[in-house]
Structures are given as C-alpha cells and as structure tokens.
Amino acid sequence: MLPTVKDNSGSHGSPISGKLEGIYFSCNTEFNTGKPPQDSPYGRYRFEIQAEVLFNPKTNLYFGDFYCMYTAYHYVILVLAPEGSPGDRFCKGRLPALDILDNCFLTCTQEEEEGGLVFHHAQDVILEVIYTEPVDLALGSVEEIQGHQLSSMSTINAKKDPSCKTCNISVGR
C-alpha cells in the first residue's frame, strides 16, 4: 500500500491536512476481546497487520488532530513515522511529539520478562493513525468484515464541530 495525501477532514488549519502523505489505520478494538470491531466505517474489507510492524521503538509518534463531527464521538489522529523517514522530517517542527512509553492515546512498551512489545490504546475515543511509509500487503491479511459497514461514521473530508466544548480550546473555557 502506498501513502496518499491526507484529506481535509478534522480541524481547520491542521498542518497535516492536504499535506502529509500516509496510510490510515484504525487502532480501535472491542474492549472485551481486544480484537478489531465487527462493524467498520471504512468499507467491507479490513487489512490487519501486527502493531509491531508499524509501531516500535524505532518509530516516532506525533499528535495530529483531535475533533468531533457534531456527534458524541471524538476522533484522535496520531502519526507514526519511522525515525529519519520523510514523514518523520515532515512532522518534526509541525506536530507535537508524544512519548511512545507514556501518553494517553497509544503506547508501546517492552515486556520485562519475555522482551516482546506491549501496546495500549485509549478506549474513549476513535483512534486513527497515519503511517507515513509504504506497507507491504504480504505483512498482513485482508478479510471481509463480519459486521456492518457504518458509513455514518466516515470521516472523509468531515469538518470539526466549531461549537464543541470538549475539542475546541476556545469554546466555553
């Protein structure tokens, strides 16, 4: 899969909209199973890849956006950029860097005993990441979703709700 330019959804004036190239991935899982949700706003097919392929100690993590679209759902967009990559160079100086070990959205830590990587993500937002480099389809699998396609949650070119008191720092504070 090749990176494409991010659309204009989200916050007005976001430094990544219409500029950053990447591939969108959802980080959401069912709270009781840890598996991807049965339903999807992204289409009938899902590409699954192990987290450590994209997110590991050699990956930089950046905060990209936080918005809602006139609903109770809030979206957080993070950027995963391999150290020194073109995407990493784009993000430095434009986006806030997050500590991969300690932040409230997505973490990657080393297991003490077995040395494997452990991942945790926020459960109270719709979390999407943009990976800035090409991804070989052979590294994952493509399967048809088991649930419904939820087109009502699609974010394609969706604009942020300017009156939301949660995700607008200038409203009601």
Side-chain angles (χ1 to χ4, degrees):
M1 293 188 298
L2 298 174
T4 59
V5 176
K6 185 197 174 296
D7 67 11
N8 288 312
S9 63
S11 297
H12 174 71
S14 170
I16 60 176
S17 292
K19 296 180 180 101
L20 178 67
E21 291 188 1
I23 303 168
Y24 260 88
F25 289 92
S26 171
C27 282
N28 298 312
T29 57
E30 297 286 353
F31 72 93
N32 56 343
T33 66
K35 302 282 183 195
Q38 300 258 334
D39 301 328
S40 173
Y42 306 104
R44 297 281 325 142
Y45 292 90
R46 171 181 290 142
F47 175 71
E48 282 189 49
I49 189 166
Q50 293 297 310
E52 59 267 10
V53 174
L54 307 179
F55 189 34
N56 56 64
K58 294 184 186 280
T59 307
N60 286 323
L61 179 66
Y62 297 94
F63 179 84
D65 205 352
F66 176 54
Y67 63 97
C68 68
M69 299 177 311
Y70 304 90
T71 68
Y73 302 110
H74 280 86
Y75 292 79
V76 172
I77 308 297
L78 303 178
V79 179
L80 294 173
E83 288 178 352
S85 68
D88 191 36
R89 289 192 297 275
F90 176 92
C91 292
K92 284 186 191 300
R94 287 186 177 95
L95 299 177
L98 298 175
D99 182 345
I100 69 168
L101 302 173
D102 184 25
N103 70 79
C104 60
F105 303 114
L106 181 65
T107 60
C108 171
T109 57
Q110 194 94 30
E111 237 178 21
E112 287 186 27
E113 292 180 21
E114 295 179 28
L117 298 177
V118 178
F119 304 93
H120 292 99
H121 67 84
Q123 293 282 335
D124 55 349
V125 296
I126 296 173
L127 182 60
E128 296 177 336
V129 298
I130 301 173
Y131 187 73
T132 63
E133 301 305 306
V135 174
D136 186 344
L137 284 173
L139 297 174
S141 62
V142 176
E143 297 174 10
E144 190 167 2
I145 63 168
Q146 300 300 310
H148 299 92
Q149 184 175 344
L150 304 172
S151 58
S152 64
M153 289 178 59
S154 173
T155 60
I156 296 173
N157 289 316
K159 294 299 175 196
K160 181 177 188 170
D161 177 358
S163 65
C164 179
K165 293 179 182 177
T166 300
C167 60
N168 286 293
I169 59 172
S170 62
V171 177
R173 296 193 193 256

